[in-house]
Amino acid sequence: MTTAPQERVGVWLIGARGSVATTTVAGHAALAAGLHPFTGLVTAGPEFAEAALPSLDHLVFGGHDTAPTPLPKRAEQLAEAGVLPPGLPVAVADALIRAEAEIRPGGPQSDDPRDDQELIAAFAADITTFQRRNDLARTVVVHLASTEPVPADDAPRAPASSLYATAAIEAGCSYVNFTPASGMHTPGLAERAARAGLPHAGRDGKTGQTLLRAVLAPMFAQRALNVRAWSGSNLLGGGDGATLADPQAAAAKNAGKARALADNLGETPEGTTHIDHVPALGDWKTAWDHIAFDGFLGTRMVLQTIWQGCDSALAAPLVLDLARLVARAHASGISGPVPGLGFFFKDPDTPPPGLAEQYRELLALAERLAGRS
């Protein structure tokens, strides 16, 4: 008995030459070639073995970006910074070159004369051409661009993330928003995607500080410990740190961090989260939390946590997980927000809020995709 060849699936990355995208493409090539283990890739676990997810060697990458540095050079820079293993850019050079050949100019640039509809049409045409050229069964558009400021009510054009989300719909593609940008949250877009039979997921990938908050906050609530204040600080280098030095962009990022606390504690505790740009840190970050809480008989206590890591390496396997899951959801006829993917996001489209409950919902999705529910 022979099995039919597996369909090829596109992964169209918005911000395709950024650190997360470059790590995703290089990491995918390393895993597909058996050069590194599947550490951090949730969908590589046995729980997903029968979910009929697209295999890694059937994923094809392309994308939009406004940055000029090609993927092979970006990978070299990330290896020099310790984000990618030494020698990996050379080992997966062919994959990086293939993906680079599929990257198209993004936008809008500050001097771009095109209006929103012209930009959407151009982006959609790029994605459609990519699908046809590579004989793809379907494509997942994944938004990885730098954090957008919260859009003003009187802004002259729609947020870039919403232009890309609209282009995804027009190209017949599913959409994942791994950033706190507007994306499908622009009024009318989610409904339009559902009418088109397209799944989507978002927003803002849960990689470091908020991942830890999603574990700790339910602990305080379940143990009936009163959280009096929860403050945090983030020290970031790299492009993300520079972007988040803008107070409006930082506000968009912090909204998801605050939601993780409010959803799990039932209220937002006193305290703020600061984001500081420290260029010397490069692609690494340090996140600190200070939690003041009351114990039995009002005894006042404090828990402090420190998370040091590389956001690109934390995010990249989740991008692969989401691309595989959303592509399979599309193939199985799921439309609208995909239930069970809140596990991956700070500001998820679907409940529940706690990480343990979110993981159970994710496993239920795996069962559904396997045809067992």
Side-chain angles (χ1 to χ4, degrees), residues 61-139:
F61 291 87
H64 283 115
D65 208 323
T66 58
T69 305
L71 273 180
K73 181 61 177 179
R74 285 293 293 125
E76 290 176 12
Q77 294 170 345
L78 292 176
E80 291 170 1
V83 177
L84 295 179
L88 184 63
V90 173
V92 300
D94 288 347
L96 293 168
I97 292 169
R98 284 196 301 272
E100 172 61 31
E102 298 290 355
I103 297 176
R104 298 294 178 266
Q109 300 279 30
S110 58
D111 58 349
D112 199 321
R114 295 172 293 179
D115 62 23
D116 286 359
Q117 289 307 313
E118 290 173 318
L119 285 164
I120 290 167
F123 296 157
D126 288 337
I127 300 169
T128 300
T129 302
F130 166 71
Q131 293 189 100
R132 291 174 178 165
R133 182 170 51 248
N134 290 284
D135 191 24
L136 304 175
R138 62 193 53 82
T139 293

Side-chain angles (χ1 to χ4, degrees), residues 60 128 175 184 250 304 337:
V60 180
T128 300
Y175 176 84
M184 284 286 178
Q304 296 186 55

